[in-house]
């Protein structure tokens, strides 16, 4: 069925980037930037698999299943990690189990097997920075 | 006055607004960081780590090698670390005042690195400095200096192992500890049972009793170098206390019935045990200072194997009051008794973990013995190991590892060897603890003060 003009679905569909006006000084178009692009499910799966292979989970610690660590990552365009920091720094100072879990997460990101991360280099703007959550619950619960 | 107060208030309010502004402003870069990736899988494998022989000159070099060997062996036995063979090392020597060449360690896949230096002081004491490094982060995680008399070098290795373990796992270690157990020799019909003690790695083994009386169920005091145990006297079991330092033993009291399963309270001031009189077995405590005895249970059933929670507020024990032998928890005054085990089979020898989160037990079901753990409310039961006869779990002081004994079915003459084994709380890494003779009823000491 062809949507009639004025159908909300039809209005939503053509969501292309705004055309560049002639006034904008364009050198080479930045191929890395496409605001509509998203990482595909298979691209996300690939990076999850890669990091899972580098992550040694802190099994057996007291309450290990609750040691969920978020790391804020800044990336280089070649897929190597430029900086990785634990978002919950205050817990890191007071909870030695959390500190251990956080250090294991950061080691995963610095593991040579995870450098560079297998990310689509043409979508750098999407993964220039991201948050990665390490959650051992499924493996330990 | 009012104005000043308002001024102060305004100042605080302004600061709050500024902080809020900073907070709102912060995610500028993170606005792009809307991508979130969740990792819910990982590997459970030992952390590869390198322990370099500690540097030293002459006699100190020998201590340096021995220290590195004992440290690597301790960490390896924990199952959490995999020491890398020294033959693979590219940087062969690394005194503590030299920065590691991290690239050389990354190449051989070492994630952590331990190095040290040993010197023999003019007074003969050994002085050891060591460092622990995170190879990927290229950062020092730990650096300490410790000293002792040369005869004590193994303890020094255990203390350093504990510091490394603690820094890398977040939990205190358990290497500077000892085990007592019942050493068994002779044929099944005339078994000689002696109290024996050794370091957790099997070194410094010695017998504490001569075998002339039957001894059972040794348990460490949590606060002193004392052991409580049962010994038969005139064919009746009595509770004794043995002082490891002085070698002295004393009987804890002459009770009208038979006493069983003595164990210290967490503060070391009481012994809790069961006492059997007229076919009824109940749980009692004895205050070690006043020798006053209190009765905690009063039922026509058999209540035995009591153990305190580490905070001393609750007690777990087993009882057949419900028809079969199950685990029960009660307050330390004997009130509020509730059953916590409901699975098939019988449950015995409960032991509360020193970190409080779990109770280990022996479970007998379908002719098989199992060692398992459950939460103190009875939920989350997990069986860690099974066998023809596995029994009597005892916790490492950090609540992470259990030691128990296992009988390996013998040949035609029956019996078979009994041996000590350890297992990690996750159910991995089951290992035999070597003893010179057959062994049963192990008990793990707290960290040596």
């Amino acid at each position: 069925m062809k949507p009639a003009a004025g159908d909300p679905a039809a209005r939503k569909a053509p969501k292309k980037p705004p055309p560049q006006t002639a006034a904008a000084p364009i050198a080479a178009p930045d191929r890395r930037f496409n605001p509509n692009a998203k990482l595909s499910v298979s691209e996300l799966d690939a990076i999850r698999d890669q990091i899972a292979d580098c992550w040694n989970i802190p099994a057996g610690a007291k309450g290990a299943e609750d040691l969920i660590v978020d790391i804020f990552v800044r990336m280089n365009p070649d897929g190597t990690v430029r900086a990785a920091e634990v978002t919950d720094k205050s817990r890191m100072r007071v909870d030695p189990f959390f500190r251990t879990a956080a250090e294991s997460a950061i080691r995963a990101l610095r593991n040579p097997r995870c450098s560079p991360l297998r990310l689509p280099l043409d979508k750098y703007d999407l993964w220039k920075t991201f948050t990665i959550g390490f959650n051992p619950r499924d493996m330990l619960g | 006055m009012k104005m000043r107060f308002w001024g102060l208030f305004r100042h605080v309010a302004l600061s709050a607004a500024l902080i809020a502004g900073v907070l709102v402003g912060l995610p500028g870069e993170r606005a792009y960081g809307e991508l979130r990736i969740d990792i819910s899988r990982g590997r459970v494998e030992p952390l590869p780590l390198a322990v370099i022989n500690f540097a030293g000159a002459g006699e100190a070099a020998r201590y340096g090698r021995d220290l590195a060997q004992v440290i690597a062996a301790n960490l390896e036995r924990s199952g959490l670390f995999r020491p890398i063979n020294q033959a693979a090392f590219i940087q062969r020597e690394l005194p503590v005042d030299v920065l590691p060449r991290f690239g050389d360690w990354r190449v051989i896949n070492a994630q952590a690195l331990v190095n040290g230096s040993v010197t023999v002081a003019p007074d003969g004491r050994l002085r050891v400095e060591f460092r622990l490094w995170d190879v990927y982060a290229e950062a020092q995680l730990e650096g300490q200096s410790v000293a002792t008399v040369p005869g004590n070098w193994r303890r020094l290795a255990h203390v350093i192992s504990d510091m490394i373990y603690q820094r890398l796992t977040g939990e205190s270690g358990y290497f500077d500890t000892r085990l007592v157990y019942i050493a068994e020799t002779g044929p099944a019909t005339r078994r000689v049972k002696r109290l024996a003690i050794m370091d957790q790695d099997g070194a410094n083994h010695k017998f504490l009793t001569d075998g002339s009386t039957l001894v059972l169920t040794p348990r460490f005091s949590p606060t002193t170098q004392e052991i409580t145990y049962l010994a038969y006297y005139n064919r009746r079991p009595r509770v004794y206390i043995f002082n490891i330092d002085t070698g002295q033993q004393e009987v804890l009291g002459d009770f009208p019935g038979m006493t069983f399963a003595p164990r210290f309270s967490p503060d070391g001031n009481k012994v809790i045990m069961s006492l059997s009189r007229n076919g009824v077995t109940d749980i009692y405590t004895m205050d070690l200072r006043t020798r006053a005895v209190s009765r905690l249970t009063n039922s026509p059933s058999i209540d035995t194997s009591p153990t305190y929670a580490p905070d001393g507020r609750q007690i777990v024990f087993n009882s057949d009051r419900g028809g079969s032998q199950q685990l029960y928890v009660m307050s330390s005054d004997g009130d509020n008794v509730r059953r916590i085990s409901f699975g098939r089979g019988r449950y015995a020898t409960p032991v509360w973990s020193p970190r409080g989160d779990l109770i280990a037990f022996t479970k007998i079901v379908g002719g098989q013995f199992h060692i398992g753990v459950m939460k103190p409310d009875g939920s989350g039961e997990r069986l860690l190991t099974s066998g023809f006869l596995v029994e009597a779990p005892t916790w490492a002081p950090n609540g992470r590892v259990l030691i128990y004994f296992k009988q390996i079915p013998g040949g035609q003459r029956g019996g078979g060897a009994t041996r000590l084994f350890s297992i990690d709380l996750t159910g991995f890494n089951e290992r035999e603890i070597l003893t010179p003779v057959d062994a049963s009823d192990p008990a793990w000491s707290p960290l040596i003060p």
Side-chain angles (χ1 to χ4, degrees):
Chain A
M1 194 173 96
K2 201 177 169 187
D7 182 321
R11 279 207 305 273
K12 250 181 168 174
K15 207 171 182 184
K16 291 223 166 80
Q20 300 279 358
T21 60
I26 303 171
D30 186 352
R31 289 196 300 112
R32 291 187 317 218
F33 182 65
N34 173 358
N36 276 345
K38 268 177 37 179
L39 290 183
S40 70
V41 172
S42 57
E43 285 165 341
L44 285 170
D45 280 349
I47 184 171
R48 276 195 210 103
D49 286 350
Q50 189 184 5
I51 295 171
D53 189 45
C54 299
W55 183 34
N56 210 341
I57 66 167
K62 186 177 178 181
E65 64 274 17
D66 296 323
L67 295 173
I68 298 162
V69 180
D70 277 5
I71 310 273
F72 181 69
V73 188
R74 291 184 183 83
M75 298 293 293
N76 294 317
D78 64 357
T80 56
V81 173
R82 175 146 49 101
E85 58 180 300
V86 179
T87 58
D88 194 347
K89 287 210 182 61
S90 53
R91 188 172 172 198
M92 186 118 172
R93 278 193 292 274
V94 296
D95 181 347
F97 293 107
F98 182 76
R99 178 172 74 169
T100 301
E103 285 171 347
S104 86
I106 291 199
R107 267 199 297 273
L109 292 169
R110 292 198 170 122
N111 191 314
R113 286 201 301 267
C114 277
S115 189
L117 286 170
R118 287 194 289 270
L119 287 155
L121 297 185
D122 57 341
K123 296 181 182 173
Y124 176 58
D125 265 311
L126 294 176
W127 48 260
K128 193 158 72 178
T129 65
F130 60 91
T131 300
I132 181 160
F134 288 84
N135 184 347
R137 186 180 292 265
D138 289 351
M139 294 207 43
L140 303 176
Chain B
M1 192 68 199
K2 204 173 172 184
M3 280 302 287
R4 275 183 62 191
F5 176 77
W6 171 240
L8 181 68
F9 173 77
R10 205 172 50 169
H11 176 73
V12 171
L14 190 65
S15 308
L18 273 174
I19 291 165
V22 168
L23 287 178
V24 169
L26 244 187
E29 187 175 11
R30 291 183 190 202
Y32 282 112
E34 61 201 39
L35 175 62
R36 182 184 169 87
I37 295 173
D38 283 291
I39 307 297
S40 56
R41 287 181 301 113
R43 298 158 77 105
V44 182
E45 63 181 23
L47 183 87
L49 125 165
V51 183
I52 312 178
N53 289 341
F54 289 12
E59 190 194 4
R62 183 170 53 82
Y63 283 114
R65 273 195 306 278
D66 292 346
L67 285 164
Q69 197 175 21
V70 171
I71 292 167
N74 278 338
L75 295 172
E76 195 274 334
R77 254 194 337 277
S78 77
L80 301 178
F81 305 97
R82 180 174 60 77
I84 294 168
N85 188 336
Q86 293 195 342
F89 294 0
I90 301 164
Q91 188 169 21
R92 317 280 311 192
E93 287 176 5
L94 184 56
V96 278
D97 48 358
V98 176
L99 201 66
R101 293 195 305 263
F102 292 106
D104 286 358
W105 298 102
R106 267 195 299 272
V107 164
I108 62 165
N109 199 25
Q111 299 197 12
L113 171 66
V114 177
N115 69 322
S117 293
V118 186
T119 45
V120 182
D123 64 358
R125 285 167 69 85
L126 291 182
R127 193 183 138 81
V128 179
E129 285 177 82
F130 80 95
R131 295 185 201 277
L132 168 67
W133 302 90
D134 184 323
V135 172
Y136 293 163
E138 305 196 353
Q140 180 180 312
L141 297 175
E142 185 70 85
Q144 295 269 355
S145 172
V146 277
T148 189
V149 292
N152 237 352
W153 72 269
R154 289 191 76 93
R155 270 203 72 193
L156 210 56
H158 295 320
V159 168
I160 293 170
S161 306
D162 282 333
M163 288 193 250
I164 294 167
Y165 182 99
Q166 176 157 18
R167 184 59 188 83
L168 292 175
T169 66
E171 288 180 273
S172 58
Y174 56 86
F175 301 115
D176 189 25
T177 55
R178 293 189 274 201
L179 295 170
V180 287
Y181 71 96
I182 302 298
E184 302 189 16
T185 45
T189 47
R190 279 188 300 114
R191 205 75 167 144
V192 175
K193 297 192 176 191
R194 283 179 287 178
L195 201 55
I197 190 165
M198 61 187 188
D199 295 351
Q200 54 77 30
D201 61 356
N204 295 319
H205 185 280
K206 83 183 163 197
F207 295 106
L208 297 177
T209 59
D210 60 9
S212 58
T213 54
L214 185 66
V215 289
L216 291 169
T217 63
R219 305 286 179 242
F220 265 101
S221 162
T223 52
T224 59
Q225 291 298 304
E226 286 182 326
I227 299 163
T228 180
Y229 65 100
L230 278 184
Y232 276 74
Y233 178 76
N234 284 342
R235 295 197 205 158
R236 264 178 39 191
R238 299 202 302 184
V239 176
Y240 284 80
I241 290 191
F242 185 99
N243 187 302
I244 302 170
D245 295 332
T246 64
Q248 287 200 318
Q249 49 185 319
E250 70 173 304
V251 64
L252 194 58
D254 233 342
F255 299 100
M258 294 206 288
T259 42
F260 294 102
R263 203 182 272 275
F264 285 93
S265 62
D267 62 7
N269 290 333
K270 277 189 273 190
V271 165
I272 189 166
M273 60 201 154
S274 49
L275 179 52
S276 179
R277 290 160 84 173
N278 307 323
V280 174
T281 305
D282 281 307
I283 292 170
Y284 291 77
T285 57
M286 178 188 253
D287 190 305
L288 292 173
R289 297 158 301 187
T290 64
R291 301 281 157 136
V293 174
S294 332
R295 177 178 184 153
L296 297 182
T297 65
N298 189 356
S299 80
S301 53
I302 297 172
D303 298 339
T304 188
S305 300
T307 318
Y308 280 97
D311 65 3
R313 290 186 183 161
Q314 295 187 90
I315 293 160
V316 62
F317 63 101
N318 73 49
S319 172
D320 63 355
R321 60 182 66 197
S324 70
Q325 198 180 333
Q326 299 288 339
L327 304 184
Y328 292 78
V329 166
M330 63 183 174
S331 306
S332 57
D333 60 3
D335 286 347
N336 197 17
V337 179
R338 56 211 181 271
R339 179 172 163 180
I340 61 162
S341 67
F342 291 93
R344 283 194 310 124
R346 293 188 291 123
Y347 292 79
T349 69
V351 215
W352 213 304
S353 157
R355 68 185 193 190
D357 58 338
L358 293 168
I359 290 169
F361 52 83
T362 306
K363 181 177 184 175
I364 305 103
V365 60
Q368 277 273 316
F369 280 68
H370 312 267
I371 302 284
V373 292
M374 64 171 69
K375 291 183 182 164
D377 65 3
S379 67
E381 177 175 323
R382 277 189 295 131
L383 299 180
L384 304 179
T385 184
S386 309
F388 165 74
L389 175 62
V390 286
E391 210 180 348
T394 176
W395 289 97
N398 70 354
R400 181 81 191 231
V401 183
L402 287 161
I403 288 182
Y404 52 92
F405 78 92
K406 184 189 274 197
Q407 187 175 346
I408 296 139
Q412 291 162 345
R413 284 189 299 162
T418 53
R419 296 282 183 234
L420 303 185
F421 282 81
S422 68
I423 196 159
D424 188 88
L425 161 62
T426 55
F428 292 106
N429 194 35
E430 186 175 43
R431 305 218 177 183
E432 183 173 347
I433 313 239
L434 295 175
T435 48
V437 294
D438 275 8
S440 62
D441 256 343
W444 209 322
S445 83
L447 285 169
I448 299 173

